[in-house]
Amino acid sequence: MAVTVLYEKDVDPKVIQGLKVAIIGYGSQGHAHALNLMDSGVDVRVGLREGSKNWKIAEDHGLKVTTMDQAAEEADVIMILIPDEIQKDVYKEHIEKHLKPGNTLAFAHGFNIHYGYIKAPEGVNVIMAAPKGPGHIVRRQFTEGSGVPDLACVQQDATGNAWDIVLSYCWALGGARAGIIKATFAEETEEDLFGEQAVLCGGLVSLVTTGFQTLVDAGYPPELAYFECYHEMKMIVDLMYESGIHFMNYSISNTAEYGEYYAGPMVINEESKKAMDVILKRIQNGEFAKEFMDDCANGHKKLLEQREAMNGSLIETTGAKIRGMFSWLNSDKED
Ligand code: NAD
Ligand code: MG
Ligand code: MG
C-alpha cells in the first residue's frame, strides 16, 4: 500500500498523556474527542463560550470546563472543534494570543489551514487528527472497544516531535484500533470535501431522493418508495461495509445483481463522472471554499434555503412517519 497505516503497537500513548489538551467546542467531534481522551488518561479541559448550553452537559460527563481563552492559555495542545466557518474568528479572538512557542494547534479537518483562513505563528506545531466518521460514531465505537480510523497530518513541525504528538492523540481517540493513516493537510481537505459532496452526502441524498421521486411520479405510494429507495439502503451498505461488494452481491438475488450491472452505469454515467471532475476541480482551486465562506458571511442564506426545502420534502415527511412506527428506532434526533 502506498500509504502508511499505523496501529496501537506503533504509537506511544505517553506522549499525549504527558500534555495538557484543550478541546474547543463540544459538538459532534468535540464531545467525542474530549470524552475519548479523558478515558484514555489524558489531561483534558473543554473550552466553551460563557453561557453555552454545553457547559453543564460536558461537566455532567465528568469533564473540566472553562472559557476558550482559559483553555487555550492552560493547554499545550489546542484542538479546534467548532464549525469550520467560524474557526478563523474564534481563533483571532480567543486562541491566537495564548499560543506560546512549543504549543500545538490541532484540527479535525484541514479547511482553515489549507485555504489560508488561519495562519499559525512560527514556533507552533500545526497538526490534524481527522476521524473518518461522524463524531457520535467516534464516541460510540470507542466505548464499544473498536474505533474509527483517523487521518494524521502535520503541516508545521516546530518542536521536531509533531508526528509523535498527532499519532499519540489519534491513539487516545481510539483511531489506532482501526488504523491511523498518514496524510497531508491538502490531501485530507480535498478528499474529505470531495467525498462528502460527490458520494457520501451529496451523491447519496440525490440518489435516494431521485429514485424515490421517480417511483412517486409514476404513481407508486410514497411509503413503498421510501422502503425501496431509502430504508433498504442501510442494509445494503452494511453488507458492503462488513464484507465487500462481492458479499453484498452474494446476499442479494441474481436478479438484483444482474440489474445492478446493467442499470448502475446508466444512472451514474459519463456525465456523472464529468460532474465529479468539476466538483473536485472547484475544491482544488478554492472556488468551493470561497462560495461556502461567502454564504456563511451572508447569514447562511443558501444553506438555510436548501435546508428548509429538504426538511419539508415528501421523502422527509414520509420517512418521519414511517420511522415513528419502528419500535427499535429512537428516530429523528436533533443531535
Ligand atoms: P459542530 O457543528 O458539532 O460544533 C458545534 C459546537 O461548536 C457547539 O457545540 C459549540 O460548542 C461550538 N460553537 C458553535 N458556535 C460557536 C461560536 N460562535 N463560538 C464558539 N464555539 C462555538 O462541529 P463539528 O461538526 O463537530 O465540526 C468540528 C470540526 O470537526 C470541523 O472542523 C469539522 O470539519 C470537523 N469534522 C467533523 C466531523 C463530524 O462528524 N461532524 C467529522 C470529521 C471532521
Ligand atoms: Mg468533512
Ligand atoms: Mg428487492
Side-chain angles (χ1 to χ4, degrees), residues 228 232 253 256:
E228 207 50 64
E232 268 196 59
S253 64

Side-chain angles (χ1 to χ4, degrees), residues 39-232:
D39 290 348
S40 297
V42 179
D43 179 1
V44 187
R45 75 266 308 116
V46 178
L48 295 177
R49 283 171 293 183
E50 272 157 273
S52 161
K53 68 172 170 38
N54 285 325
W55 197 294
K56 185 170 182 319
I57 297 173
E59 279 182 346
D60 287 349
H61 290 162
L63 286 154
K64 276 187 280 188
V65 185
T66 182
T67 60
M68 294 189 281
D69 284 276
Q70 179 65 27
E73 174 59 31
E74 283 176 18
D76 306 301
V77 178
I78 299 125
M79 171 56 97
I80 303 187
L81 295 174
I82 58 179
D84 293 307
E85 66 272 23
I86 61 172
Q87 289 185 7
K88 71 171 175 10
D89 294 339
V90 168
Y91 172 80
K92 272 266 161 262
E93 209 177 319
H94 300 287
I95 293 169
E96 191 174 35
K97 57 176 169 281
H98 304 294
L99 291 175
K100 294 178 268 303
N103 282 171
T104 296
L105 192 60
F107 297 87
H109 177 44
F111 191 95
N112 281 276
I113 292 292
H114 181 59
Y115 293 116
Y117 294 109
I118 292 178
K119 291 197 181 15
E122 277 176 38
V124 168
N125 294 326
V126 180
I127 64 168
M128 173 167 25
K132 290 289 92 188
H136 294 88
I137 307 294
V138 172
R139 179 57 184 162
R140 187 197 298 166
Q141 294 205 346
F142 181 92
T143 59
E144 289 170 356
S146 64
V148 170
D150 292 327
L151 293 194
C153 317
V154 172
Q155 177 85 2
Q156 198 163 292
D157 186 356
T159 56
N161 71 337
W163 275 109
D164 295 336
I165 296 173
V166 70
L167 294 176
S168 195
Y169 187 104
C170 291
W171 167 85
L173 252 187
R177 300 168 180 179
I180 306 170
I181 302 154
K182 283 186 165 184
T184 65
F185 267 64
E187 285 170 341
E188 188 282 337
T189 306
E190 292 170 5
E191 61 85 31
D192 184 78
L193 292 172
F194 177 80
E196 65 202 18
Q197 291 178 27
V199 182
L200 304 174
C201 311
L204 175 64
V205 170
S206 275
L207 182 66
V208 165
T209 51
T210 307
F212 172 86
Q213 199 57 48
T214 302
L215 286 177
V216 170
D217 288 348
Y220 296 90
E223 291 78 5
L224 295 193
Y226 176 86
F227 276 114
E228 207 50 64
C229 297
Y230 185 130
H231 183 73
E232 268 196 59

